[in-house]
């Protein structure tokens, strides 16, 4: 890293061996000539790496067919997820410090309606809400939730944490499936949603994956029994990012080559819109008792640069001190 005070790379190594076990039970019952379908179940999980790693997750759902064209559905439940192993393995002076974390809890509900006016057309609308609790936040600055730090692969969570964060998500999705011919089909989806999380101060801020608008359009063509060609267009509104503290970043950059986020403004700004066009060709081979698939998948065929965040820089080529991260 430019400006780093260290001559050699610094690394750390930790090992964690543990068990995660789980079991689930589900029952389905149909009524009224199978027009009404009820589902109920529960899952029990245990994470031996945590001091209190046992969780019970009940859930239930129902669907009701109103004639041949309209179906109503509803579902609700509690769900749990263990913290990342990266977080659980953190040590200070050889002593694990994050074993008091708890499985993240998510209470959620979904309501939907599906309409099939003809055999080749299906339209579905679903609304959802989610309430999160026991989410990890930074021990040294408990205003900051891990959900606000980044949704990409990396070392998010490799520090002391406390299970006191909360969050929520809301949204509605419109899904359309259309079969034009036996060989040509279309899928389209639009989602309007929000995702916000808070630390110890209870102040909700956009999570790193809070994309308010998302459009997915997919088309496929089967010119024969062995070939399939497809394309997908994805368009997303901007992702949140936390702006830099200019004064503190200038001082930090001279020492480590990095900027300092302004944590009083978590997720206050957003990147530009994201758009990507993908193409795929697939060939199926039949060898009697087994078969195989050969495919070519080309992503972002238009080579469009998409900003997914920024790093701090004092390069004069970037007047605002932000170097875009190309996704």
């Amino acid at each position: 890293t430019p400006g780093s005070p260290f001559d050699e790379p610094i690394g750390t190594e930790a090992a964690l061996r543990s068990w995660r076990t789980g079991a689930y039970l589900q029952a389905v019952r149909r009524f009224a000539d199978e027009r009404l379908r009820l589902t109920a179940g529960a899952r029990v999980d245990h994470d031996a790496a945590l001091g209190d790693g046992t969780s019970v997750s009940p859930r239930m759902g129902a669907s009701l067919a109103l004639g041949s064209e309209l179906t109503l559905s509803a579902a609700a439940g509690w769900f749990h997820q263990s913290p990342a192993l990266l977080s659980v393995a953190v040590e200070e002076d050889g002593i694990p410090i994050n074993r008091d974390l708890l499985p993240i809890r998510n209470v959620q509900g979904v309501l939907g309606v599906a309409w099939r006016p003809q055999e080749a057309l299906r339209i579905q609308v679903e609304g959802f809400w989610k309430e999160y609790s026991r989410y990890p936040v930074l021990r040294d600055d408990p205003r900051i939730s891990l959900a606000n730090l980044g949704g990409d692969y990396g070392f998010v969570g490799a520090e002391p944490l406390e299970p006191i964060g909360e969050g929520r998500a809301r949204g509605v999705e419109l899904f359309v499936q259309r079969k034009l011919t036996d060989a040509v089909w279309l899928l389209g989806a639009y989602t309007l949603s929000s995702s916000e999380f808070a630390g110890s101060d209870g102040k909700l801020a956009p999570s790193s994956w809070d994309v308010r608008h998302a459009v997915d359009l997919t088309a496929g063509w089967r010119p024969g029994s062995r070939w399939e060609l497809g394309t997908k267009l994805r368009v997303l509104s901007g992702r949140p990012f936390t702006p830099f503290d200019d004064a503190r970043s200038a001082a930090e950059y001279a020492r480590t080559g990095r900027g300092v986020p302004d944590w009083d403004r978590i997720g206050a700004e957003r990147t530009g819109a994201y758009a990507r066009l993908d193409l795929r060709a697939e060939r199926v081979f039949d060898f009697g008792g087994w078969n195989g698939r050969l495919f070519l998948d080309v992503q972002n065929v238009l080579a469009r640069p998409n900003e997914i965040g920024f790093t701090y820089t004092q390069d004069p080529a970037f007047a605002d001190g932000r170097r875009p991260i190309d996704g």
Side-chain angles (χ1 to χ4, degrees):
T1 302
S4 171
F6 307 109
D7 296 329
E8 300 292 335
I10 293 178
T12 182
E13 181 176 349
L16 173 64
R17 179 176 296 175
S18 183
W19 286 93
R20 288 179 176 175
T21 55
Y24 69 92
L25 179 68
Q26 179 171 292
V28 179
R29 185 73 183 272
R30 294 175 174 84
F31 303 89
D33 298 329
E34 298 197 356
R35 291 189 301 111
L36 175 62
R37 183 174 183 265
L38 301 180
T39 304
R43 180 178 178 90
V44 179
D45 291 279
H46 179 71
D47 189 338
L50 303 178
D52 184 6
T54 301
S55 58
V56 180
S57 304
R59 69 285 306 268
M60 64 184 302
S63 65
L64 175 63
L66 302 177
S68 60
E69 297 182 359
L70 199 63
T71 301
L72 305 179
S73 61
W78 287 16
F79 299 86
H80 293 85
Q81 179 179 348
S82 293
L85 288 175
L86 176 67
S87 299
V88 180
V90 172
E91 299 179 350
E92 283 185 348
D93 299 325
I95 300 175
I97 58 173
N98 283 337
R99 300 298 174 89
D100 290 334
L101 292 176
L102 299 170
I104 300 167
R105 177 174 293 165
N106 169 22
V107 182
Q108 69 178 45
V110 180
L111 292 174
V113 57
W115 181 43
R116 194 165 190 168
Q118 50 184 271
E119 184 67 23
L121 176 62
R122 184 170 184 268
I123 302 173
Q124 180 174 315
V125 178
E126 282 192 345
F128 65 87
W129 58 265
K130 301 179 181 181
E131 299 288 342
Y132 294 88
S133 60
R134 311 198 299 195
Y135 211 91
V137 304
L138 307 192
R139 184 193 66 184
D140 296 333
D141 191 345
R143 299 173 303 165
I144 305 172
S145 168
L146 289 191
N148 301 120
L149 286 182
D152 302 322
Y153 294 105
F155 291 99
V156 175
E159 55 189 298
L161 302 169
E162 295 181 339
I164 59 175
E166 297 182 348
R168 68 182 185 187
R170 305 282 191 275
V172 61
E173 180 183 73
L174 170 64
F175 175 80
V176 179
Q177 183 177 11
R178 175 68 171 173
K179 187 176 182 181
L180 299 179
T181 69
D182 289 339
V184 180
W185 50 269
L186 301 172
L187 297 176
Y190 167 70
T191 304
L192 171 65
S193 64
S194 67
S195 172
E196 300 173 308
F197 282 77
S200 60
D201 59 1
K203 183 179 179 182
L204 291 168
S207 71
S208 298
W209 49 87
D210 177 49
V211 177
R212 297 297 171 92
H213 303 274
V215 176
D216 287 281
L217 302 176
T218 305
W221 176 41
R222 298 185 180 94
S225 61
R226 299 186 181 277
W227 281 96
E228 182 168 353
L229 307 176
T231 182
K232 180 177 182 179
L233 173 65
R234 162 163 273 204
V235 180
L236 308 173
S237 59
R239 295 174 48 169
F241 76 94
T242 301
F244 294 102
D245 183 318
D246 293 332
R248 296 180 62 191
S249 294
E252 182 70 15
Y253 188 83
R255 190 173 67 88
T256 66
R258 298 184 176 93
V260 178
D262 183 354
W263 294 119
D264 291 327
R265 302 171 61 201
I266 296 176
E269 299 185 21
R270 291 182 179 266
T271 64
Y274 178 100
R276 193 179 85 186
L277 179 66
D278 303 338
L279 298 177
R280 180 184 176 99
E282 186 172 296
R283 174 73 157 84
V284 179
F285 298 89
D286 189 357
F287 300 100
W290 59 283
N291 58 49
R293 292 177 181 268
L294 180 67
F295 67 89
L296 173 65
D297 191 86
V298 184
Q299 298 182 356
N300 197 17
V301 295
L302 301 180
R304 183 183 189 275
N306 285 299
E307 298 172 350
I308 61 172
F310 299 91
T311 59
Y312 181 80
T313 182
Q314 292 186 345
D315 186 334
F318 303 92
D320 56 1
R322 300 173 179 173
R323 185 190 303 273
I325 301 172
D326 186 4

